Amino acid sequence: MESRFSQSQSMVAVVTNHVDRYSNSNSHRLDVNPAVVVVQDVVLDGNRDRDGDGDRGSSSDSVVESHGNTDREDAEAVASTTGYGMGNGHVVGIGMPATSMAYLPQNVVLSELRHDGFEVCTPSGPAESGLVSKWRPKDRMKTGCVALVLCLNISVDPPDVIKISPCARMECWIDPFSMAPQKALDTIGKTLHFQYERWQPKARYKFQLDPTVEEVKKLCTSCRKYAKSERVLFHYNGHGVPKPTANGEIWFFNRSYTQYIPLPISDLDSWLKTPSIYVFDCSAAGMIVNAFIELQDWNPSSTSGTTPRDCILLAACEAHETLPQSHEFPADVFTSCLTTPIKIALRWFCTRSLLHESLDYSLIDRIPGRQTDRKTLLGELNWIFTAVTDTIAWNVLPHDLFQRLFRQDLLVASLFRNFLLAERIMRSANCSPVSYPMLPPTHQHHMWDAWDMAAEICLSQLPTLLEDPNAEFQPSPFFTEQLTAFEVWLDHGSEHKKPPEQLPIVLQVLLSQCHRFRALVLLGRFLDMGPWAVDLALSVGIFPYVLKLLQTTTPELRQILVFIWTKILALDKSCQVDLVKDGGHTYFIRFLDSVEAYPEQRAMAAFVLTVIVDGHRKGQEACIEADLIHVCLKHLQGGSPPNDTQTEPLFLQWLCLCLGKLWEDFTEAQIIGLQANAPTVFSLLLSEPQPEVRASAVFALGTLLDVGFDSSRDVGDDERDDDEKAVAEFSIVKSLLNVVSDGSPLVRAELAVALARFAFGHKRHLKSIAAAYWKPQPNSVLSSLPSFTVRNSVSGYSTPNQYSKIGPLSRVGGDNQSATRDGRVSVSSSSPLATSSIMHGSPLSDDSSHNSDPGMLNDCVTNGVVNHAKPRQLDNGLYSQCVSAMCTLAKDASPRISGLGRRVLSIIGIEQVVTKSAKTATTTSVRAGESSGTANSLAGLARSSSWFDMNGGHLPLTFRTPPVSPPKPSYLTGMRRVCSLEFRPHLMDSGGLADPLLGSPGVSGSSSDRSFLPQSTIYNWSCSHFSKPLLTATDGADEIAIKREERENLALNHITKCQRASGSNLHNPIARWDTKFETGAKTALLQPFSPVVVAAEEGECISIWNYEEATLLNSFNNHEYPNKGISKLCLVNELDESLLLVASSDGNVRIWKDYISRGKQKLVTAFSSIHGHRPGARSVSAVVDWQQQSGYMYASGEISSTMVWDLDKEQLLSSIPLASDCSISALAASQVHGGQFAAGFVDGSVRLYDVRTPDGLVCVTRPHTLGVDRSGGVGRVVGIGFQPGLDPAKIVSASQAGDIQFLDIRNQSDAYLTIDAHRGSLTALAIHRHAPLIASGSAKQLIKVFNLEGEQLGTIRYSPTFMAQKIGPVSCLAFHPYQILLAAGSADACVSIYADEISPPR
């Protein structure tokens, strides 16, 4: 239940306990968290408990919001004491009357993630491939070989160059004229080799100095041969030869250096092949790039056949440009930028900086430190430079290009980062470097200003550092400032704004210990913004860094690293491989096992481990080796004292899912789990309050079942193991059968998946049990059951079985012969198969299952089948309970689960048969594989009063097994289980009516075909929790709070008016709506905050109408099953986004959201609220009411107790015995006092119950005397409710005989006021929640309105404004919760609305 107060820290919740003074109170609601302190009956909850349960405030009846300081003495307290020891102290905020606040429940139910479209969509878990893994570099590459070709021809200038004086002379920072030309050439070559080696030390380097074309060819071919499929770098310095030609030729020498020889770029390309990278440092280098692009266009696929060609070019200038000759630059300024970026960047910056007077070039050459050591000045500068250039590239380049150039190959990435610097420096000399692929201009990017500033701050320390060797270097504030900028973006940025440009810097900062923690925390905040943020961070290249960090042992990094990995794996499952390869799983197992961490964080570690083992055998094996099974089981069995893990459902949920995924389809792990007694641990979790935990426990138990168990192999040495395994599997299934009637569809869906696994493994045994159901047994309980026909397996003729009557039963088909005319077995839903063994009095409950005929299975298996092992009775009883549970699921209230149930049944060869109405008693098959469309079209089927209908089933759908023919003799020796029947079409006898379903895969097809098994969804559902923001409140939280506050104020204003209203004019009709219902309006309700009325007919068609605009807003069927009948409509969360609770008379409850928008209605949850029935009862006739204060729903009917459901936990809280032989005919929950409800009985008695008392019952009175009065009415209670106000003891009750009794429970003897309203024809009663008004309706087309003193305020006979048309017999009445408005539904399908004033205030 969402806490209303968690949305605003300034709010303080004050909760008063009305009923906590029972002497030995077994309060079901007193589960207050230790964080809640109880002082003088006022619960002050400062620290919202973690599992979101605290707002239930034990037995809280009024929750008060107070802004600012609430002073207890100032608060107005209203107390009233009841006759059964109850003191009501209402403590309220200043200025808010206690009476008002008690009426506005603060809790919200059914608003969790699991309720958002459970029926509609199948969730997808972390993606394995596709769009997500785009961030991974396609295939990492490395440059394996580097060819350095220098054509300098020192001392001879080429003919097309005119040099200025003084001119740029330095090559690789060496003056070629400072030594002999040949020595200079060698030195320059070696220096260039050394400069490149700094960027790629592992490559093989070859150089040619002033070479001929042949030498170049030899060099290229040997480089390609050595590099194989790796990249080759070709560096060309052409400062001693002419410019490239327009045809794309570069120049070399002849042997005697008397001529320049051209080499076409196409030849060079054919020798070097691909992948390759070229660096051209010469004037007009752009010519080569143009020629190369032309070549690519002409010849897109290379000689080696790979397309597209992976060739990268870096050229020093455009085709029309000459290299800068200014002496402030070296001659090879382009090469210097690419290979010694820091040196040239600082020299270039110095001349433009304010420091240029105090610095000269010689100081720059003496910068202390190593480039690889970030704690030194040179290292820091290099680090900042890398961060700046990486950031510019990431912000400017398209995503794919960035990945290719900056993340695929280390040397290419370094060259391109340095190329950005070359562009900046050379453009200042009117020269534009060119690249292929082309980059957008970056020379004016504002991050260069950050570099200049950082460089200046570092250089300002240089003189001091050089003078004093002991002086300490002060790191630059660059990274701190950039992290602050990132933090500012986090405060204001979003998915729809420009991404944070500092992301690559955050990545760089992870390398440094001093900034690492802050960077990780900020990174965690960023990743929490959504999957888009995770994808962005991964595309920047965060992955290898955070993977490497798992090798650190720093304790303070553990929590944030676990969080970051949770976010990564919630997006991309493929990282599981990297984690296992690097041994990362052990980091998370250690964290999971550490008691210091909070349970929520350990839940994240469990999530990471679950993804690691999900469908990944290496991950499963690694985690078993690290003893993960025992670690998880240890924490599931009991919380560690410091942070009691049992209070954190998320942790329990993920421990279950982790184990379930760990042993899914992995026998070795299953055996370890069984030996560690895992089934017992999980069976205890099946009653946990959170549905997600229960569903996860069912999932873990289900994956412990081995699907391939039932194979027809010869049993050898492993017979004993298999026997042990069978015992374990039976204990698992026994536990699972306990949740067949769980309130949460999430849990039942997992149960269906688990039973499907069991059915697949035990197909033959379950099939034989199913067949046994249809074989009449003389001694068996089955013979006492009515209405099923069996096809005689010997003769091939159908013979009707004797129908034995239990009570007033009728057959499903009118003509039993025609029902089986086609020779198919048609079994009505009265067969034991269609009942739940969990139900009270069901023929399949343990005590009565098959003990009466232990040889039942053997009767089926005759004709030469040798039974080498006698089946244990346990097996048979359990198998029959399984079949029964499968049928219960196949008739589930939730369409998705009933579909799953049908699939499970089809695995064991049972398919649905729908029996149409008696006129056309034909049988139609609904196959499991099809949609339920066939079933939907049968909505108009006749109701059957078969045995199952009384058990809460709502489908007159029956199930049939295939005809049974004598099995072939089994020649398998040593089989430990009885050989069961194979229901295959080719085993049919001469009747030959093979059923197409039975031959379909998974039903009787090969046991290896597992594609038919339904898939579990709980894991994917649960994963979506981690892909949503975890650190911040959701965006809409503030809007919801504002809307809620508006509604509360509106409600309070209306309540005040209601309490003062007389209601004497409540007969003005303001709207009349012909619903077109065939069976009349059965029940109706008015929306509290919009002019909307919701009505439903007996056939469970629900219509929503706007009575101000007189328009139909929506109309839909509550369900598509033929068995119809509606009991009640209630609004859940009426002060928030309200949900519509629809209770059917068979006890099924369905809750809808978005029900006002046409066609948009979504089923939030559905469950059967009533289990079992009274013997001999024809139907359940459910009565239901909802209580927002407590979050409880009460359901009863033709059963011996009232079921109390906690809708927040989606769990049966308790079953309160009625203490009466009669059944309940009317039920009302107090809307002010949580846990209290009143019930009216068929015999005219009224009882008040309180779930917080030990036995539930508070008192009994019998105001309506049983008997027939003059008009033929009886004393059956048809309407009951609490009087308006805070007094929990005053009740109004009306009987069919027409008398309305006003009761005060403190005086149990008599009613203090009786109104004889409608003699013998009272059909409906409505009591206003706040105004002193009650209304009663009669079958004699009459509505009377009374006040609480018993005075009749008015009568509504007809509507004069509607041409004096009379109202029909009244079928339902409903007051507006906060206004004087009355909706009346009549048997003639009209709904009229009456107001106290002609135009009621909205």
Side-chain angles (χ1 to χ4, degrees), residues 142-160:
K142 81 171 200 267
T143 303
C145 199
V146 178
L148 305 174
V149 179
L150 301 173
C151 298
L152 293 177
N153 200 7
I154 296 168
S155 75
V156 180
D157 288 339
D160 58 353

PDB file of all heavy atoms in Angstrom, residues 142-160:
ATOM      1  N   LYS A 142      43.306  -4.465 -33.183  1.00  0.00           N
ATOM      2  CA  LYS A 142      44.527  -3.774 -32.801  1.00  0.00           C
ATOM      3  C   LYS A 142      45.409  -3.600 -34.014  1.00  0.00           C
ATOM      4  O   LYS A 142      45.294  -4.333 -34.992  1.00  0.00           O
ATOM      5  CB  LYS A 142      45.202  -4.466 -31.645  1.00  0.00           C
ATOM      6  CG  LYS A 142      46.056  -5.664 -31.911  1.00  0.00           C
ATOM      7  CD  LYS A 142      46.767  -6.000 -30.587  1.00  0.00           C
ATOM      8  CE  LYS A 142      48.001  -6.849 -30.779  1.00  0.00           C
ATOM      9  NZ  LYS A 142      47.788  -8.239 -30.674  1.00  0.00           N
ATOM     10  N   THR A 143      46.234  -2.565 -33.952  1.00  0.00           N
ATOM     11  CA  THR A 143      47.170  -2.311 -35.038  1.00  0.00           C
ATOM     12  C   THR A 143      48.403  -3.153 -34.758  1.00  0.00           C
ATOM     13  O   THR A 143      49.090  -2.940 -33.757  1.00  0.00           O
ATOM     14  CB  THR A 143      47.507  -0.817 -35.099  1.00  0.00           C
ATOM     15  OG1 THR A 143      46.272  -0.104 -35.259  1.00  0.00           O
ATOM     16  CG2 THR A 143      48.430  -0.505 -36.244  1.00  0.00           C
ATOM     17  N   GLY A 144      48.637  -4.118 -35.631  1.00  0.00           N
ATOM     18  CA  GLY A 144      49.719  -5.077 -35.346  1.00  0.00           C
ATOM     19  C   GLY A 144      51.038  -4.694 -35.966  1.00  0.00           C
ATOM     20  O   GLY A 144      52.089  -5.145 -35.525  1.00  0.00           O
ATOM     21  N   CYS A 145      50.994  -3.854 -36.987  1.00  0.00           N
ATOM     22  CA  CYS A 145      52.244  -3.544 -37.680  1.00  0.00           C
ATOM     23  C   CYS A 145      52.233  -2.084 -38.126  1.00  0.00           C
ATOM     24  O   CYS A 145      51.190  -1.572 -38.567  1.00  0.00           O
ATOM     25  CB  CYS A 145      52.374  -4.466 -38.893  1.00  0.00           C
ATOM     26  SG  CYS A 145      54.070  -4.562 -39.468  1.00  0.00           S
ATOM     27  N   VAL A 146      53.398  -1.403 -38.003  1.00  0.00           N
ATOM     28  CA  VAL A 146      53.490   0.015 -38.368  1.00  0.00           C
ATOM     29  C   VAL A 146      54.628   0.184 -39.375  1.00  0.00           C
ATOM     30  O   VAL A 146      55.764  -0.216 -39.109  1.00  0.00           O
ATOM     31  CB  VAL A 146      53.749   0.886 -37.122  1.00  0.00           C
ATOM     32  CG1 VAL A 146      53.887   2.351 -37.523  1.00  0.00           C
ATOM     33  CG2 VAL A 146      52.611   0.728 -36.114  1.00  0.00           C
ATOM     34  N   ALA A 147      54.295   0.761 -40.530  1.00  0.00           N
ATOM     35  CA  ALA A 147      55.313   1.030 -41.560  1.00  0.00           C
ATOM     36  C   ALA A 147      55.585   2.530 -41.584  1.00  0.00           C
ATOM     37  O   ALA A 147      54.677   3.321 -41.855  1.00  0.00           O
ATOM     38  CB  ALA A 147      54.805   0.557 -42.916  1.00  0.00           C
ATOM     39  N   LEU A 148      56.824   2.927 -41.283  1.00  0.00           N
ATOM     40  CA  LEU A 148      57.170   4.350 -41.261  1.00  0.00           C
ATOM     41  C   LEU A 148      58.009   4.640 -42.514  1.00  0.00           C
ATOM     42  O   LEU A 148      59.095   4.070 -42.673  1.00  0.00           O
ATOM     43  CB  LEU A 148      57.966   4.681 -40.000  1.00  0.00           C
ATOM     44  CG  LEU A 148      57.291   4.286 -38.676  1.00  0.00           C
ATOM     45  CD1 LEU A 148      58.234   4.524 -37.501  1.00  0.00           C
ATOM     46  CD2 LEU A 148      56.017   5.092 -38.479  1.00  0.00           C
ATOM     47  N   VAL A 149      57.516   5.469 -43.375  1.00  0.00           N
ATOM     48  CA  VAL A 149      58.231   5.790 -44.622  1.00  0.00           C
ATOM     49  C   VAL A 149      58.545   7.283 -44.627  1.00  0.00           C
ATOM     50  O   VAL A 149      57.630   8.115 -44.609  1.00  0.00           O
ATOM     51  CB  VAL A 149      57.357   5.415 -45.843  1.00  0.00           C
ATOM     52  CG1 VAL A 149      58.089   5.784 -47.129  1.00  0.00           C
ATOM     53  CG2 VAL A 149      57.018   3.940 -45.827  1.00  0.00           C
ATOM     54  N   LEU A 150      59.859   7.609 -44.617  1.00  0.00           N
ATOM     55  CA  LEU A 150      60.260   9.014 -44.574  1.00  0.00           C
ATOM     56  C   LEU A 150      60.980   9.352 -45.875  1.00  0.00           C
ATOM     57  O   LEU A 150      62.000   8.734 -46.209  1.00  0.00           O
ATOM     58  CB  LEU A 150      61.206   9.258 -43.390  1.00  0.00           C
ATOM     59  CG  LEU A 150      60.644   8.921 -42.004  1.00  0.00           C
ATOM     60  CD1 LEU A 150      61.736   9.042 -40.954  1.00  0.00           C
ATOM     61  CD2 LEU A 150      59.513   9.859 -41.659  1.00  0.00           C
ATOM     62  N   CYS A 151      60.424  10.308 -46.618  1.00  0.00           N
ATOM     63  CA  CYS A 151      61.099  10.798 -47.834  1.00  0.00           C
ATOM     64  C   CYS A 151      61.565  12.225 -47.554  1.00  0.00           C
ATOM     65  O   CYS A 151      60.864  13.192 -47.881  1.00  0.00           O
ATOM     66  CB  CYS A 151      60.145  10.769 -49.024  1.00  0.00           C
ATOM     67  SG  CYS A 151      59.573   9.107 -49.407  1.00  0.00           S
ATOM     68  N   LEU A 152      62.728  12.366 -46.904  1.00  0.00           N
ATOM     69  CA  LEU A 152      63.177  13.699 -46.475  1.00  0.00           C
ATOM     70  C   LEU A 152      64.228  14.266 -47.429  1.00  0.00           C
ATOM     71  O   LEU A 152      64.287  15.466 -47.679  1.00  0.00           O
ATOM     72  CB  LEU A 152      63.745  13.629 -45.058  1.00  0.00           C
ATOM     73  CG  LEU A 152      62.719  13.293 -43.971  1.00  0.00           C
ATOM     74  CD1 LEU A 152      63.400  13.180 -42.614  1.00  0.00           C
ATOM     75  CD2 LEU A 152      61.633  14.353 -43.909  1.00  0.00           C
ATOM     76  N   ASN A 153      65.110  13.357 -47.926  1.00  0.00           N
ATOM     77  CA  ASN A 153      66.175  13.787 -48.840  1.00  0.00           C
ATOM     78  C   ASN A 153      66.831  15.076 -48.321  1.00  0.00           C
ATOM     79  O   ASN A 153      66.804  16.122 -48.976  1.00  0.00           O
ATOM     80  CB  ASN A 153      65.584  13.987 -50.236  1.00  0.00           C
ATOM     81  CG  ASN A 153      66.684  13.943 -51.305  1.00  0.00           C
ATOM     82  OD1 ASN A 153      67.843  13.627 -50.983  1.00  0.00           O
ATOM     83  ND2 ASN A 153      66.328  14.264 -52.536  1.00  0.00           N
ATOM     84  N   ILE A 154      67.336  14.966 -47.091  1.00  0.00           N
ATOM     85  CA  ILE A 154      67.828  16.150 -46.363  1.00  0.00           C
ATOM     86  C   ILE A 154      68.848  16.896 -47.213  1.00  0.00           C
ATOM     87  O   ILE A 154      69.687  16.281 -47.881  1.00  0.00           O
ATOM     88  CB  ILE A 154      68.440  15.705 -45.011  1.00  0.00           C
ATOM     89  CG1 ILE A 154      67.319  15.100 -44.155  1.00  0.00           C
ATOM     90  CG2 ILE A 154      69.099  16.871 -44.294  1.00  0.00           C
ATOM     91  CD1 ILE A 154      67.808  14.371 -42.934  1.00  0.00           C
ATOM     92  N   SER A 155      68.731  18.224 -47.172  1.00  0.00           N
ATOM     93  CA  SER A 155      69.582  19.186 -47.872  1.00  0.00           C
ATOM     94  C   SER A 155      69.220  19.382 -49.345  1.00  0.00           C
ATOM     95  O   SER A 155      69.788  20.232 -50.011  1.00  0.00           O
ATOM     96  CB  SER A 155      71.092  18.851 -47.736  1.00  0.00           C
ATOM     97  OG  SER A 155      71.407  17.744 -48.570  1.00  0.00           O
ATOM     98  N   VAL A 156      68.252  18.575 -49.858  1.00  0.00           N
ATOM     99  CA  VAL A 156      67.785  18.835 -51.236  1.00  0.00           C
ATOM    100  C   VAL A 156      66.295  19.161 -51.170  1.00  0.00           C
ATOM    101  O   VAL A 156      65.495  18.308 -50.791  1.00  0.00           O
ATOM    102  CB  VAL A 156      68.003  17.597 -52.149  1.00  0.00           C
ATOM    103  CG1 VAL A 156      67.504  17.897 -53.558  1.00  0.00           C
ATOM    104  CG2 VAL A 156      69.456  17.181 -52.151  1.00  0.00           C
ATOM    105  N   ASP A 157      65.953  20.391 -51.543  1.00  0.00           N
ATOM    106  CA  ASP A 157      64.532  20.761 -51.517  1.00  0.00           C
ATOM    107  C   ASP A 157      63.846  20.286 -52.783  1.00  0.00           C
ATOM    108  O   ASP A 157      64.440  20.363 -53.873  1.00  0.00           O
ATOM    109  CB  ASP A 157      64.384  22.288 -51.416  1.00  0.00           C
ATOM    110  CG  ASP A 157      64.778  22.782 -50.028  1.00  0.00           C
ATOM    111  OD1 ASP A 157      64.758  21.933 -49.098  1.00  0.00           O
ATOM    112  OD2 ASP A 157      65.080  23.976 -49.881  1.00  0.00           O
ATOM    113  N   PRO A 158      62.631  19.848 -52.690  1.00  0.00           N
ATOM    114  CA  PRO A 158      61.892  19.450 -53.902  1.00  0.00           C
ATOM    115  C   PRO A 158      61.618  20.670 -54.793  1.00  0.00           C
ATOM    116  O   PRO A 158      61.568  21.794 -54.287  1.00  0.00           O
ATOM    117  CB  PRO A 158      60.582  18.864 -53.357  1.00  0.00           C
ATOM    118  CG  PRO A 158      60.455  19.379 -51.979  1.00  0.00           C
ATOM    119  CD  PRO A 158      61.834  19.624 -51.469  1.00  0.00           C
ATOM    120  N   PRO A 159      61.417  20.434 -56.108  1.00  0.00           N
ATOM    121  CA  PRO A 159      61.314  21.573 -57.044  1.00  0.00           C
ATOM    122  C   PRO A 159      60.071  22.424 -56.839  1.00  0.00           C
ATOM    123  O   PRO A 159      60.079  23.605 -57.201  1.00  0.00           O
ATOM    124  CB  PRO A 159      61.270  20.875 -58.409  1.00  0.00           C
ATOM    125  CG  PRO A 159      60.862  19.466 -58.132  1.00  0.00           C
ATOM    126  CD  PRO A 159      61.403  19.132 -56.787  1.00  0.00           C
ATOM    127  N   ASP A 160      59.001  21.861 -56.279  1.00  0.00           N
ATOM    128  CA  ASP A 160      57.764  22.669 -56.211  1.00  0.00           C
ATOM    129  C   ASP A 160      57.611  23.393 -54.885  1.00  0.00           C
ATOM    130  O   ASP A 160      56.531  23.848 -54.535  1.00  0.00           O
ATOM    131  CB  ASP A 160      56.537  21.775 -56.458  1.00  0.00           C
ATOM    132  CG  ASP A 160      56.445  20.629 -55.460  1.00  0.00           C
ATOM    133  OD1 ASP A 160      57.410  20.454 -54.670  1.00  0.00           O
ATOM    134  OD2 ASP A 160      55.417  19.910 -55.455  1.00  0.00           O
TER     135      ASP A 160
END
